[in-house]
Amino acid sequence: MFFQPDCRWCKKQGKVMAKLLEQCGNKIHFNLVGDKGSRTKLKRELRHFADALPAQQNSKLFARKSGGVIGYPTTLVLDTNGEVLAKKRGAIEEAKLIKLASQLSDGECEL
């Protein structure tokens, strides 16, 4: 999930991702990608997310390969080869995110 500083929808979706990560273990993986802020500002923003969610700062190469980011949050769904299966701009409703996690894990990841 791409996030930017002061994005309340990013924080809300991050909480659901953290619950899924806690419940699902290694059946599904989540990553945060910070954008539109200095390294310091993005690092400070991470205090709103669970420590278990890995995070990195966006790079021009990654943004270009992922098709660019227009709004936040932007969520990418990648397969095991790193190919983009789906891209969603805006917050994903909790029920839909839970359903997606279940589908991606062949029903092994459910809340």
Side-chain angles (χ1 to χ4, degrees):
M1 176 185 77
F2 288 93
F3 73 95
Q4 72 174 12
D6 302 318
C7 171
R8 64 185 174 102
W9 291 106
C10 299
K11 295 168 191 166
K12 187 174 182 176
Q13 185 167 313
K15 287 180 183 180
V16 177
M17 291 168 59
K19 284 195 304 189
L20 284 166
L21 183 63
E22 184 179 308
Q23 189 70 26
C24 302
N26 64 357
K27 295 175 182 87
I28 192 165
H29 302 279
F30 296 97
N31 287 290
L32 301 172
V33 180
D35 198 25
K36 301 285 183 190
S38 68
R39 185 170 180 83
T40 303
K41 198 168 189 177
L42 291 170
K43 194 171 185 178
R44 195 174 322 123
E45 193 70 16
L46 288 176
R47 73 182 186 275
H48 299 290
F49 297 99
D51 290 336
L53 290 170
Q56 60 190 22
Q57 187 172 4
N58 195 16
S59 69
K60 289 180 183 180
L61 177 63
F62 185 70
R64 188 173 62 245
K65 286 190 170 198
S66 63
V69 180
I70 297 172
Y72 299 91
T74 293
T75 305
L76 297 178
V77 179
L78 308 174
D79 66 11
T80 55
N81 297 319
E83 297 296 319
V84 178
L85 298 176
K87 182 176 180 179
K88 166 79 168 90
R89 187 176 123 201
I92 300 173
E93 295 174 27
E94 183 172 354
K96 287 183 180 181
L97 195 55
I98 292 168
K99 183 178 178 181
L100 178 61
S102 178
Q103 290 172 339
L104 291 171
S105 66
D106 294 323
E108 292 185 41
C109 178
E110 296 192 21
L111 284 182

